[in-house]
Amino acid sequence: MKGERGGFRPLRREQLFQELVHDSYKSSRKLSEPTRCPVCGAVFRKGRWTWASAPAGAHEERCPACHRIHDKFPAGYVTLKGEFFRAHREQVLQLVKNREAKEKAEHPLERIMGVEDTADGTTVTTTNTHLARDIAEALHHAYKGDLDYHYNKEDNLLRASWSR
Ligand SMILES: [Zn+2]
């Protein structure tokens, strides 16, 4: 299964900023500018995706975030668990969503893909590793608890686990 590859290894938090490489999940050919994503409306211009508006007749192509959503292939996973989490689930998930809203407003490719309950907690999946890291750091900043990261450099996938 595509989402369950091996190759994950633990990563110290201070290593993260150096290690997270630019997301390679994009088309192999160069995009013409401007390109507009027909799904979400993000516009590729000056080498990056923004929420700017595109002129009529702009080239159309799905952005990397919509591509991942379509393929159901997240780049980031944040697992939330523990007694504190169970007792404050709604409040914690609200913080997660606020964080996404803040990041997404500036970076169209940073989005939550899904929030799924598992046997021992909840997993939030994201379209990009940076958002997974930002969510995990925001949780740790707000509530303390334990935080650890596993990173698969080959495929640029990040798994963050927060528990309290
Ligand atoms: Zn899009």
Side-chain angles (χ1 to χ4, degrees):
M1 192 182 135
K2 215 180 172 190
E4 289 296 325
R5 302 190 206 182
F8 280 94
R9 61 181 180 79
L11 188 65
R12 291 203 319 276
R13 288 171 69 196
E14 55 269 31
Q15 288 178 287
L16 260 190
F17 288 85
Q18 300 155 19
E19 290 273 350
L20 289 191
V21 293
H22 208 73
D23 195 350
S24 57
Y25 203 81
K26 52 189 171 191
S27 62
S28 49
R29 61 196 174 75
K30 203 173 181 307
L31 288 172
S32 42
E33 296 194 18
T35 288
R36 182 180 172 279
C37 174
V39 183
C40 69
V43 171
F44 185 77
R45 211 168 59 179
K46 293 179 184 156
R48 58 188 289 260
W49 288 90
T50 70
W51 292 119
S53 54
H59 181 75
E60 293 214 333
E61 188 165 318
R62 207 180 267 159
C63 74
C66 290
H67 207 149
R68 278 193 183 275
I69 290 164
H70 176 265
D71 290 355
K72 299 184 172 61
F73 186 38
Y77 300 78
V78 187
T79 305
L80 318 173
K81 50 191 173 188
E83 273 177 39
F84 175 89
F85 171 63
R86 275 193 293 278
H88 300 86
R89 188 177 182 280
E90 291 311 310
Q91 181 195 340
V92 173
L93 287 178
Q94 192 55 50
L95 185 139
V96 169
K97 283 167 190 162
N98 291 348
R99 191 72 209 184
E100 183 216 15
K102 186 165 175 275
E103 295 300 324
K104 190 169 89 176
E106 287 215 24
H107 308 286
L109 304 188
E110 302 201 2
R111 293 179 219 167
I112 288 175
M113 286 178 64
V115 177
E116 228 172 273
D117 290 323
T118 59
D120 58 350
T122 297
T123 298
V124 177
T125 50
T126 62
T127 53
N128 134 325
T129 55
H130 294 263
L131 181 60
R133 180 197 62 201
D134 287 346
I135 287 172
E137 292 292 328
L139 290 172
H140 188 255
H141 182 76
Y143 304 118
K144 306 294 181 266
D146 296 317
L147 182 58
D148 75 85
Y149 292 108
H150 283 75
Y151 185 49
N152 178 333
K153 191 168 190 173
E154 206 172 301
D155 296 312
N156 192 29
L157 304 174
L158 181 68
R159 289 184 188 273
S161 310
W162 174 78
S163 82
R164 188 190 151 185

